Amino acid sequence: MNNKFSLSRLSGVFNEALIRNEPTIAFEIQNGKGRFLFMMFFGEEDNDSKDQLFLFMKNTMRMIQLKMYGNHSKGQFDIYVNHRIVNWIKEELGILNSNSGNPFDLASFFSDINFNIPQNLPLTNKINILRDNWENIKEKVPENIIEESDKKYLIGPKVLKLPRRPRERTLRKLYLYSNETPENVENLIASLKRLNITLAWSKDKNFSSTSINSIFKKIS
């Protein structure tokens, strides 16, 4: 039997991301010994990950993908959890084979998780979290959240003609494949979206990536 839980406080960072046109969410919550990384990818082209919550358990290195139900614009983020997932959560918490005599309260666990969901999430925080965890999660999230993920070397800017817009799946490469500070990445992304410019990338390992500073000079 599946248990239903509400993560209603996702509404804050979800609506913030929509307003700022940043359809990527990533944050961490620690609960007891458990370390939980929550991620959402919901750009216009993110067909495979819309309405999906990716929950990575950092101790056990396990990824869970949960479908979210309800009207998100009205704060409805309902998930269903089966017995197998409950055991994975208990394993992450280090209590799977506990004989403490205190039964695991799943409702209290998700109530605590919901309470601790951040209500604002700067893009710089998302960038840092994804960079810090990418090596461990890149094989566990849909490959197409990154456009042509094998192209990691930045060539330069590319002007788009309306109605085309910079794709979030392309801009996410700056989160992961750039050595620039998150603040510089945030500023560049804002400029690219304002000017309707995207970035071209290469998969040639011998290609010397263009710096963000040089791109700023080209588009300013």
Side-chain angles (χ1 to χ4, degrees):
M1 179 179 178
N2 291 347
N3 298 283
K4 177 182 175 182
F5 299 98
S6 171
L7 297 178
S8 58
R9 282 173 60 84
L10 278 171
S11 178
V13 289
F14 180 81
N15 288 321
E16 176 189 63
L18 290 179
I19 291 170
R20 296 199 312 221
N21 190 23
E22 296 171 3
T24 302
I25 289 174
F27 61 87
E28 295 183 12
I29 294 177
Q30 182 155 352
N31 184 288
K33 295 180 179 179
R35 299 183 299 156
F36 301 90
L37 168 59
F38 293 81
M39 293 166 288
M40 296 168 61
F41 308 98
F42 49 97
E44 290 184 359
E45 68 277 11
D46 290 322
N47 296 322
D48 293 339
S49 57
K50 284 181 180 177
D51 293 322
Q52 302 295 318
L53 177 66
F54 296 88
L55 173 56
F56 181 62
M57 303 180 186
K58 297 182 68 172
N59 293 328
T60 54
M61 305 290 284
R62 180 178 282 116
M63 180 75 79
I64 299 174
Q65 184 173 342
L66 298 166
K67 182 171 176 58
M68 295 178 293
Y69 296 87
N71 188 330
H72 303 336
S73 64
K74 294 183 178 180
Q76 297 171 345
F77 295 85
D78 297 330
I79 59 172
Y80 290 85
V81 178
N82 59 34
H83 180 70
R84 180 171 58 174
I85 294 174
V86 173
N87 282 338
W88 289 342
I89 292 172
K90 291 168 69 174
E91 186 180 5
E92 173 67 18
L93 294 168
I95 60 170
L96 180 59
N97 300 309
S98 173
N99 295 315
S100 66
N102 297 318
F104 176 55
D105 189 332
L106 188 62
S108 291
F109 169 80
F110 276 107
S111 178
D112 289 344
I113 290 293
N114 191 45
F115 179 80
N116 284 291
I117 293 174
Q119 292 304 285
N120 59 79
L121 195 56
L123 180 58
T124 52
N125 288 28
K126 303 177 196 181
I127 293 170
N128 278 325
I129 287 172
L130 289 172
R131 283 182 177 179
D132 289 346
N133 292 281
W134 188 244
E135 285 303 311
N136 291 327
I137 67 174
K138 64 183 180 181
E139 304 297 332
K140 304 176 188 294
V141 294
E143 183 179 7
N144 60 8
I145 66 167
I146 304 295
E147 185 77 27
E148 297 181 309
S149 59
D150 59 334
K151 294 184 178 181
K152 302 179 181 181
Y153 306 97
L154 183 55
I155 298 174
K158 181 180 179 181
V159 177
L160 295 171
K161 293 182 179 180
L162 293 173
R164 294 182 65 198
R165 297 286 187 183
R167 291 187 171 194
E168 190 71 14
R169 293 191 300 179
T170 300
L171 297 177
R172 286 184 190 128
K173 291 187 176 188
L174 287 170
Y175 301 2
L176 304 168
Y177 301 153
S178 167
N179 293 323
E180 298 282 350
T181 66
E183 291 77 14
N184 283 346
V185 170
E186 180 181 39
N187 291 335
L188 177 58
I189 288 175
S191 295
L192 294 172
K193 289 181 176 180
R194 185 180 69 254
L195 298 170
N196 204 37
I197 293 174
T198 191
L199 297 173
W201 298 77
S202 171
K203 60 182 177 182
D204 185 353
K205 294 181 179 180
N206 296 316
F207 184 85
S208 179
S209 273
T210 305
S211 71
I212 281 183
N213 284 336
S214 66
I215 290 177
F216 268 124
K217 291 178 182 179
K218 289 180 180 179
I219 66 177
S220 60

